[in-house]
């Protein structure tokens, strides 16, 4: 049904320079990151459309729960400078998820698409153990309540080795080394064995084999490199009587680096995403031309953030550091989501895992590219090891993040920095590893690592000055990674994400103690992380001038049944969710006396009690792959 209205000016264009549209309903919440819910029996919202140019469009109301089109308004023509109000038949709505779909048909380009979304439900029917936005329905499956643009808590279940829910294999041993006598450096000897193993053919299982380091001490003065697929480095236990890799000397370096070569973005394959808004949590979007793509293609989904968006989130006006210079304002940047196509229908693309930041035309839109990752190695593992490092115990300090402290600690920094850095690799793991006396991390999952699992690992007694850039026990910059059942002490940032991380990524069933700072997305718009049953201080916030201008550190993050100190704020254009948290709600860093601009709290739900299901990640994994997937990733005895 179409009603004429007087022309008026709208400033928030859905299709920049062409048209905009807004929902009209007396009770529907229209705020990013807040549930859009109507009571059963409500009438649908109306859509007010303003044309800046002559336009033609179609508007449909769909019951997405059962994929029924309830009403379709076809071929609506609106002249430049005019408005129309489109209403739907006022039949009372039943419970379910509803989508209002808009298709704009420009005369000289591919169609453009946009959606509004809302849920019809009785919120009073939820028990106190259920979240208001992600809860188990009567069939035992998760229901997700979106905001009015369709943003929702993401499905994190594709995180981990082989895309989640797959048992880490026990790879047959092909080579064995025993400890050398004396104090000799074992770096070259182990590297020679790794290189020999790397020359063996890859078997049908995808592996060349495992190099077994028998129990004892191996002195590593340099760095060990794994540069080929199918190689596993295994010890005989992470206890004091196990296999110990001991970093010797004063060189600052990694003990192990797992490195393939960089994937290539195939620029000539690029096609524009033609949805005016792809919500966070979505796996489906339209493109201008899908003819060059096939199911199974590895692709890059690029989400652009232009200067207008940087201004919208106030990251071009970061208050300078009060007592020192060096604060940098943000420049435009993009996020790259590394995905696989699982479906193509006309120009509609479906990918294997959701994007975790909305793609919006007015902030730069998005684009799809084929992504050549043949240089990335895969099927690599590090397991059953104990890590230690030389350090000078006479080098001590008391400062904590630049402030004098009361306790003296070991602060030498001329020694091993990380046990392992993984980059340009997929389908890799680190399990059953304990690390002592490291400066930065046990494991760093770097930018181009994907489908990595870190599990059943421990970090103790880190050695460094307690200041910026140190003590990031499990440091994630890649995507689709799972860190589970890990335990740390003496960290600054125990479970931490870096800048511009394109999620999803998961920390699950892990704990930190003796913390000198918090687990967190650390800086510059990392997106789509899940802290699931993590006991640790956690901060998800605007860090303002910290560092060199860290600003909004994380967006579209979820904390689920966490315990400890927690800060969760909402960044403009996105949301962060705190669900089922028990512990102190910490006062945010900003606003403060130097920057009084208000910040919104994130979406806090069921604060002070845990919710069902116990684990969001495990429930999502079970729904996607079944109970066997949970058994596959459960803790198992150490490999011998």
């Amino acid at each position: 049904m179409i009603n004429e209205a007087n022309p008026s000016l709208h400033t928030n264009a859905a299709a920049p320079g062409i048209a905009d549209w807004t929902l009209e309903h007396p009770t529907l919440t229209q705020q990013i990151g807040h549930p859009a819910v109507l009571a059963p029996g409500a009438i649908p919202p109306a859509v007010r459309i303003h044309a800046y140019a002559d336009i033609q469009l179609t508007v449909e109301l769909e019951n997405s729960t059962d994929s029924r089109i309830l009403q379709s308004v076809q071929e609506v023509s609106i002249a430049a400078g005019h408005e129309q109000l489109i209403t739907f038949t006022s039949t009372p709505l039943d419970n379910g998820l509803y989508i209002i779909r808009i298709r704009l048909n420009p005369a000289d380009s591919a169609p453009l698409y946009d959606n509004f979304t809302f849920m019809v439900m009785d919120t009073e029917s939820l028990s106190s153990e259920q979240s208001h936005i992600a809860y188990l329905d009567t069939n035992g499956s998760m229901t997700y309540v979106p905001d009015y643009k369709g943003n929702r808590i993401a499905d994190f279940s594709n995180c981990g080795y082989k895309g989640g829910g797959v048992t880490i294999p026990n790879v047959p041993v092909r080579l064995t080394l025993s400890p050398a006598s004396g104090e000799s450096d074992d770096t070259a000897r182990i590297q020679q064995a790794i290189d020999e193993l790397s020359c063996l053919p890859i078997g049908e299982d995808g592996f060349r084999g495992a190099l077994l380091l028998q129990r004892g001490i191996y002195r590593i003065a340099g760095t060990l490199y794994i540069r080929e697929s199918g190689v596993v480095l295994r010890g005989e236990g992470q206890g004091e009587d196990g296999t110990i890799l001991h970093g010797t000397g004063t060189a600052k370096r990694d003990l192990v680096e797992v490195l393939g070569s960089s994937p290539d973005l195939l620029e000539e394959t690029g096609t524009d995403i033609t949805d005016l808004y792809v919500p966070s949590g979505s796996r489906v979007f339209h493109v201008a031309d899908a003819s060059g793509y096939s199911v199974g293609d590895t692709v890059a989904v690029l989400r652009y953030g232009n200067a207008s968006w940087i201004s919208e989130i106030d990251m071009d006006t970061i208050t300078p550091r009060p007592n020192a210079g060096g604060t940098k304002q943000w420049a435009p940047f993009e996020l790259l989501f590394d995905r696989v196509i699982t479906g193509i229908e006309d120009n509609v693309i479906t990918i294997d895992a959701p994007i975790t930041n909305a793609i919006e035309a007015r902030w730069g839109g998005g684009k799809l590219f084929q992504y050549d990752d043949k240089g990335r190695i895969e099927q690599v593992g590090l397991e059953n090891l104990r890590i230690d490092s030389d350090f000078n115990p006479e080098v001590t300090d008391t400062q904590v993040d630049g402030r004098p402290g009361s306790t003296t600690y070991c602060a030498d920094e001329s020694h091993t920095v990380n046990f392992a850095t993984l980059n340009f690799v997929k389908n890799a793991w680190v399990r059953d590893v304990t690390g002592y006396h490291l400066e930065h991390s046990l494991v760093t999952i770097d930018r181009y690592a994907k489908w990595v699992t870190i599990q059943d690992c421990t970090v103790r007694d880190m050695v460094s000055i307690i200041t910026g850039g140190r003590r990031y026990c499990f440091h994630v910059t890649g995507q689709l990674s799972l860190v589970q059942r890990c335990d740390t002490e003496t960290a600054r940032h125990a479970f931490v994400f870096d800048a511009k991380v394109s999620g999803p990524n998961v920390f699950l069933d892990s704990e930190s103690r003796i913390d000198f700072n918090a687990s967190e997305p650390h800086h510059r718009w990392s997106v789509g992380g899940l802290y699931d049953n993590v006991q640790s201080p956690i901060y998800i916030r605007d860090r303002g001038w910290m560092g060199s201008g860290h600003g909004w550190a994380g967006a579209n993050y979820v904390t689920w049944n966490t315990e400890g100190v927690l800060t969760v704020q909402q960044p403009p254009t996105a949301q962060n969710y705190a669900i089922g948290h028990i512990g102190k709600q910490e006062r945010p860093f900003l606003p403060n006396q130097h920057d009084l601009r208000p910040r919104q709290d994130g979406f806090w739900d069921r604060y002070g009690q845990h919710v069902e299901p116990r684990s969001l990640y495990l429930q999502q994994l079970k729904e996607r792959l079944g109970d066997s997937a949970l058994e596959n990733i459960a803790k198992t005895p150490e490999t011998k």
Side-chain angles (χ1 to χ4, degrees), residues 12 43 73 136 160 200 215 278 280 318 368-369 423 426 443 465 522 530 545:
N12 191 16
I43 62 171
V73 183
L136 289 172
L200 296 179
R215 64 183 71 251
V278 182
S280 179
I318 300 172
L368 181 70
F369 295 89
N423 204 10
K426 61 185 180 182
V443 184
I465 301 171
H522 190 53
L530 169 63
W545 59 78

Side-chain angles (χ1 to χ4, degrees), residues 133 144-147 150-155 279-282 556 577 620:
I133 57 171
Y144 303 93
V145 181
D147 67 17
N151 300 290
R152 47 154 280 190
I153 286 178
D155 182 350
S280 179
S282 178
N556 301 320
Y577 305 88
Q620 291 175 331

Side-chain angles (χ1 to χ4, degrees), residues 154-427:
D155 182 350
F156 293 90
S157 69
N158 292 86
C159 295
Y161 174 72
K162 285 283 189 174
V166 177
T167 302
I168 294 174
N170 292 321
V171 178
V173 173
R174 294 287 181 259
L175 293 174
T176 300
L177 285 182
S178 58
S181 59
E183 300 290 324
S184 60
D185 176 18
D186 293 299
T187 308
R189 192 166 66 96
I190 298 174
Q191 186 65 57
Q192 182 179 357
I194 291 172
D195 293 343
E196 183 179 344
L197 185 62
S198 299
C199 292
L200 296 179
I202 294 178
E204 292 183 0
D205 60 357
F207 292 95
R208 304 175 196 273
L211 167 61
L212 178 64
L213 303 180
Q214 294 180 325
R215 64 183 71 251
I217 298 175
Y218 298 79
R219 294 165 180 80
I220 312 296
T223 298
L224 301 171
Y225 295 92
I226 297 176
R227 296 189 174 96
E228 299 293 339
S229 296
V231 173
V232 174
L233 182 64
R234 179 183 301 154
E236 288 191 321
Q238 56 185 321
E240 293 182 355
D241 60 347
T243 298
I244 300 172
L245 300 185
H246 190 105
T248 60
T250 59
K252 298 168 65 70
R253 82 284 187 190
D254 303 332
L255 285 190
V256 179
E257 293 187 5
V258 176
L259 290 172
S261 58
S262 177
D264 293 322
L265 195 71
L266 304 180
E267 297 279 357
E268 67 278 8
T269 68
T271 182
D272 290 332
I273 292 173
T274 54
D275 296 277
L276 297 168
Y277 192 103
V278 182
S280 179
S282 178
R283 299 191 302 119
V284 181
F285 50 86
H286 294 82
V287 295
D289 182 7
S291 62
Y293 292 84
S294 301
V295 171
D297 283 350
T298 297
V299 294
V301 182
L302 260 65
R303 182 268 181 192
Y304 298 101
N306 60 21
S308 296
W309 176 68
I310 298 295
S311 181
E312 180 73 11
I313 63 175
D314 293 325
M315 292 294 95
D316 56 352
T317 57
I318 300 172
T319 300
R321 185 189 298 272
N323 300 318
T327 301
K328 296 179 181 178
Q329 307 303 323
W330 290 14
F333 65 90
E334 65 270 357
L335 296 170
L336 186 155
F337 296 97
D338 187 342
R339 299 292 184 263
V340 175
I341 293 179
T342 57
I344 301 175
E345 185 175 347
D346 296 326
N347 287 322
V348 179
I349 299 288
T350 302
I351 52 179
D352 61 328
I355 64 165
T356 51
N357 198 110
I359 297 171
E360 192 166 358
R362 63 179 170 149
W363 306 137
K367 205 160 186 174
L368 181 70
F369 295 89
Q370 291 184 6
Y371 197 46
D372 182 357
D373 72 340
K374 293 183 179 63
R376 276 200 285 213
I377 61 174
E378 60 181 321
Q379 301 284 39
V380 175
L382 308 172
E383 57 192 32
N384 296 343
L385 297 163
R386 187 180 183 90
I387 311 305
D388 207 337
S389 174
D390 283 349
F391 66 95
N392 184 350
E394 295 182 2
V395 178
T396 61
D397 208 324
T398 61
Q399 70 155 330
V400 177
D401 283 341
R403 296 181 294 273
S406 58
T407 302
T408 300
Y409 61 85
C410 293
D412 181 30
E413 297 199 329
S414 296
H415 63 99
T416 307
V417 176
N418 306 301
F419 160 51
T421 297
L422 285 66
N423 204 10
F424 311 121
V425 62
K426 61 185 180 182
N427 296 321

Side-chain angles (χ1 to χ4, degrees), residues 43-72:
I43 62 171
V47 182
R48 186 174 297 279
I49 301 171
H50 178 85
Y52 301 110
D54 293 346
I55 61 171
Q56 188 177 78
L57 46 75
T58 298
V59 183
E60 295 180 335
L61 174 64
E62 175 186 324
N63 183 333
S64 184
T65 301
D66 57 15
S67 300
R68 286 186 298 125
I69 303 298
L70 302 182
Q71 190 171 344
S72 180

